[in-house]
Amino acid sequence: MLSQYKTVYKGGEGEITEKKSRFIATVVPVHTEEEALKFIEAMKKKYWNATHNCFAYVIGEHDELQRCSDDGEPGGTAGKPMLDVLTGEEIHNAAIVVTRYFGGTLLGTGGLVRAYTSAAIDGLEHSESITRIHGIKLLIRAEYTDLGKIQYLLASRDVIQLDPVYTDKVELMALVPVEQMKGLKADLMEGTNGQVALDETVQCWFAQTEDGIRIFSEWVEE
């Protein structure tokens, strides 16, 4: 299992114009081929009068499923460049449809590759991509006198801290990347002279989004 991976969190739409041809790129997250195919069909219905609706998608932890289509463009000039954008950006579980409205001027093979590549990049730039991290929710219970030291140790490792709960002791929930857990627990025990209780509550995936911290329980959950 990957320790972290990049994916599309919120889809978006970009557009470029090349010699009067419009290229509209629509990007969405997908987790199954069925989702990808439904999205592609929806785009074909939405842009029913377009010259082409080319697509590319990648699905799976290691992009086990990769598909693309030139939809009538010369072979290798549309779908493959779009797929290369997804894999080059190391994006998992995402699909792109680039819709073309022909502007009357032929672009040639090289021009088409550049146009579809640029459109796919613009679509991703107008989407929100995140890095999901495989981690563990660590519940930390300690005396108030150790709170400052604990928060410093968490911050020094860039560990995400959720809001503390104050009772007779202080309780902190931290989102710790799996590979950091052993070292962090050792640091916390040493830094507090063993006066801290540590409870690995549950594994999860988490990410920093534009709206704040988001926690996912499964690889494919949204």
Side-chain angles (χ1 to χ4, degrees), residues 16 18 25 85 112-123 125:
I16 68 166
E18 187 67 30
V85 170
L112 286 171
V113 170
R114 288 190 294 272
Y116 279 99
T117 298
S118 297
I121 291 172
D122 197 58
E125 288 178 347

Side-chain angles (χ1 to χ4, degrees), residues 63-182:
D63 294 340
E64 294 89 348
L65 183 59
Q66 301 184 20
R67 298 283 186 272
C68 63
S69 169
D70 298 310
D71 193 36
E73 294 281 27
T77 62
K80 183 59 165 59
M82 294 158 56
L83 184 63
D84 288 344
V85 170
L86 289 173
T87 57
E89 292 292 326
E90 298 184 338
I91 297 287
H92 299 264
N93 293 347
I96 302 177
V97 170
V98 174
T99 301
R100 182 189 182 188
Y101 285 92
F102 182 55
T105 301
L106 295 175
L107 301 182
T109 300
L112 286 171
V113 170
R114 288 190 294 272
Y116 279 99
T117 298
S118 297
I121 291 172
D122 197 58
L124 284 176
E125 288 178 347
H126 284 85
S127 306
E128 182 183 353
S129 296
I130 59 173
T131 298
R132 291 195 188 196
I133 300 170
H134 185 210
I136 299 172
K137 289 183 180 180
L138 179 66
L139 179 60
I140 304 168
R141 296 185 182 89
E143 301 294 339
Y144 283 83
T145 53
D146 290 320
L147 178 58
K149 179 65 172 179
I150 291 169
Q151 290 178 323
Y152 170 79
L153 289 170
L154 294 175
S156 68
R157 287 176 171 265
D158 294 323
V159 171
I160 295 171
Q161 307 174 43
L162 304 183
D163 291 337
V165 175
Y166 300 104
T167 56
D168 56 322
K169 291 188 176 183
V170 63
E171 294 185 357
L172 276 173
M173 185 68 77
L175 300 176
V176 186
V178 170
E179 64 271 17
Q180 286 196 39
M181 182 61 74
K182 183 177 180 180

